[in-house]
Amino acid sequence: MTVKIAPSWQKQLDEEFEKDYFKKLTEFIKEDIQNHTIYPPGKLIFNAFDKCSFDDVKVVIIGQDPYHGEGQANGLCFSVNDGIRFPPSLKNIFKEIQSDLGKPMPESGNLERWASQGVLLLNATLTVRKKDAGSHQKKGWEEFTDAVITKVSEKKENIVFILWGAYAQKKGSVIAKEKHYVLESAHPSPFSADRGFFGNKHFSKTNEYLKKMGKEPIDW
């Protein structure tokens, strides 16, 4: 598996790439690519770590699986490629930004613009088979992304962690909450958005905290 990531991440994760579980995961992915269409495409699997360097991380948003529809996933959680129709969760995220900050609905669902400002858009599982949600869960990715969250929590301070839904909140159990700002609410999925996602004001709260810490706010 070709790992294209920012050099500051390479430094943090080199030892992880050498562990047995990661080598087994790599073998599984290589084999699965022979028999199935895998999303996102190989060069974008580690896109979250390429577009947002470890040194620049200010905010972490935790997702679950990449989108499994054609042309959607681009390696950043909740994000889709330019020109792709917004999936329901992403549409609800933009609705909350509109309500919270008064920003109009954007033309593109590509969230690289957030990543370039220091938002790590981290899925718990970095790959999936086409039209087969959850197909690459419990193969090693969760262990890898737990290690990523732990690194950020241990080595950095005053990071905003945004955890939407029970899965992300469980994933966030490794965060040292005494030195970071953790925001939790329901998931933006249409099944749960009305139960606490809408109105959570996570975007304005994030920016208020960043300003308080002397950091540049995010242009959501």
Side-chain angles (χ1 to χ4, degrees), residues 9-183:
W9 273 116
Q10 193 81 47
K11 198 171 144 189
Q12 296 299 327
L13 297 173
D14 262 350
E15 60 184 31
E16 217 57 38
F17 296 140
E18 294 306 314
K19 289 184 179 175
D20 283 346
Y21 85 84
F22 196 87
K23 288 175 180 173
K24 282 179 193 161
L25 169 64
T26 300
E27 287 311 308
F28 166 75
I29 301 287
K30 281 179 180 169
E31 203 173 298
D32 222 42
I33 283 171
Q34 305 302 316
N35 305 306
H36 302 276
T37 300
I38 303 302
Y39 295 135
K43 64 180 182 179
L44 294 177
I45 291 172
F46 290 91
N47 201 26
F49 304 94
D50 193 41
K51 293 292 183 285
C52 177
S53 77
F54 181 80
D55 294 344
D56 292 341
V57 175
K58 296 190 283 197
V59 180
V60 179
I61 299 179
I62 298 176
Q64 193 164 353
D65 257 20
Y67 297 121
H68 52 83
E70 192 169 350
Q72 290 181 306
N74 65 2
L76 310 175
C77 73
F78 296 107
S79 173
V80 289
N81 287 308
D82 292 325
I84 297 288
R85 188 177 168 191
F86 301 164
S89 290
L90 182 59
K91 195 171 186 179
N92 284 340
I93 288 168
F94 290 144
K95 278 184 184 173
E96 176 55 24
I97 290 171
Q98 196 167 25
S99 160
D100 186 13
L101 300 172
K103 287 178 73 82
M105 194 73 70
E107 284 182 24
S108 171
N110 190 336
L111 303 182
E112 283 186 10
R113 59 185 182 271
W114 295 1
S116 66
Q117 297 175 76
V119 183
L120 178 66
L121 293 156
L122 182 68
N123 272 320
T125 305
L126 298 193
T127 52
V128 69
R129 283 180 198 155
K130 180 180 181 178
K131 294 186 177 169
D132 190 2
S135 47
H136 283 188
Q137 289 177 4
K138 298 182 173 63
K139 302 293 182 186
W141 279 129
E142 293 89 346
E143 190 173 340
F144 174 73
T145 50
D146 277 352
V148 169
I149 296 163
T150 302
K151 288 269 185 204
V152 174
S153 176
E154 286 178 354
K155 300 210 170 182
K156 297 183 80 75
E157 290 185 1
N158 306 319
I159 300 296
V160 183
F161 287 91
I162 298 178
L163 312 177
W164 294 325
Y167 184 89
Q169 286 155 26
K170 192 177 173 192
K171 190 96 179 147
S173 63
V174 296
I175 299 163
K177 296 190 176 180
E178 66 281 358
K179 64 170 184 162
H180 301 293
Y181 185 42
V182 180
L183 294 168

